[in-house]
Amino acid sequence: MNLFSIGDTVEIIAAGPENAGTVGRTGTVVDDGSLSGGEIAVKGIDRFEKVRGYRAYTADQLRKV
């Protein structure tokens, strides 16, 4: 069972060095982990995310809003 579904709005509550500076921001789930082997893809981090289009997180780094 996935904790997050595509389209869910989530807040980043923890991040590794590759996602530094995103803690506390919000975005939309575009991959619930079923396609990427567990990594949850989030786009639109506070609508400022233009560099990569999305970022990948683990379930324990996210919280539904």
Side-chain angles (χ1 to χ4, degrees):
M1 178 171 96
N2 292 331
L3 298 172
F4 301 97
S5 300
I6 295 172
D8 283 350
T9 300
V10 294
E11 178 183 5
I12 291 81
I13 58 171
E18 70 281 359
N19 291 324
T22 62
V23 174
R25 295 185 179 176
T26 59
T28 304
V29 174
V30 293
D31 174 10
D32 61 6
S34 60
L35 298 175
S36 61
E39 292 276 308
I40 298 163
V42 179
K43 72 170 186 172
I45 309 294
D46 280 340
R47 298 188 171 97
F48 297 123
E49 187 61 48
K50 296 183 187 209
V51 177
R52 294 176 54 190
Y54 72 92
R55 293 180 183 262
Y57 297 90
T58 57
D60 62 336
Q61 294 176 318
L62 302 171
R63 173 180 70 185
K64 283 187 186 181
V65 226

